[in-house]
Every structure is written in structure tokens, then in C-alpha cells.
């Protein structure tokens, strides 16, 4: 009886430990993705002024 309770407690403890590790891993990934998205937004904000609207030269246009 005591052995069953001990083994069950160990199994449940390991399950909770694995669940906690997965949740932390997901949280870290989400935070990392958010940082990457923010860095990309900042980079793209800095490049907005570099673009110009120019017409495509006729030599590069495809005509039938």
C-alpha cells in the first residue's frame, strides 16, 4: 500500500514537472518571438523613408 502511494506520488510529481517545463518553454518562445517582431517593426520603421515611388522603365515592361 505504501509503495503504491509512493510510486503514484512520484509519477504525478514528474507529470507536473514536465507540464511546468513545457509551459516555461512556450513562454520563452513567445517572448522571443515578440522581441523578434518588435525588432522587425523598428527596422521597417527606419526604412520607410528610403523608398520612392518610381515608374518602371519601358525596357523592363512585358508587352504582348
Amino acid at each position: 500500500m505504501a509503495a503504491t502511494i509512493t510510486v503514484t506520488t512520484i509519477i504525478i510529481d514528474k507529470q507536473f514537472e514536465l507540464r511546468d517545463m513545457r509551459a516555461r518553454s512556450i513562454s520563452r518562445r513567445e517572448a522571443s518571438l515578440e522581441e523578434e517582431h518588435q525588432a522587425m517593426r523598428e527596422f521597417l520603421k527606419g526604412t520607410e523613408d528610403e523608398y520612392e515611388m518610381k515608374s518602371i522603365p519601358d525596357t523592363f515592361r512585358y508587352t504582348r
Side-chain angles (χ1 to χ4, degrees), residues 33-43 45:
L33 283 175
E34 183 59 35
E35 288 176 12
E36 289 177 18
H37 284 247
Q38 186 61 32
M40 185 63 77
R41 281 188 213 108
E42 293 299 320
F43 172 76
K45 278 184 191 176

Side-chain angles (χ1 to χ4, degrees), residues 6-63:
T6 303
V7 170
T8 304
T9 303
I10 291 171
I11 290 172
I12 291 173
D13 184 50
K14 286 292 181 189
Q15 287 178 343
F16 279 123
E17 184 179 341
L18 289 173
R19 189 176 297 161
D20 182 55
M21 285 174 43
R22 276 189 231 115
R24 287 178 193 223
S25 174
I26 290 171
S27 296
R28 266 189 259 127
R29 272 186 260 141
E30 288 174 348
S32 173
L33 283 175
E34 183 59 35
E35 288 176 12
E36 289 177 18
H37 284 247
Q38 186 61 32
M40 185 63 77
R41 281 188 213 108
E42 293 299 320
F43 172 76
L44 291 175
K45 278 184 191 176
T47 60
E48 285 179 351
D49 298 334
E50 297 174 12
Y51 291 106
E52 296 180 33
M53 295 298 287
K54 294 183 178 180
S55 63
I56 298 173
D58 290 334
T59 57
F60 293 108
R61 291 180 189 255
Y62 176 75
T63 56

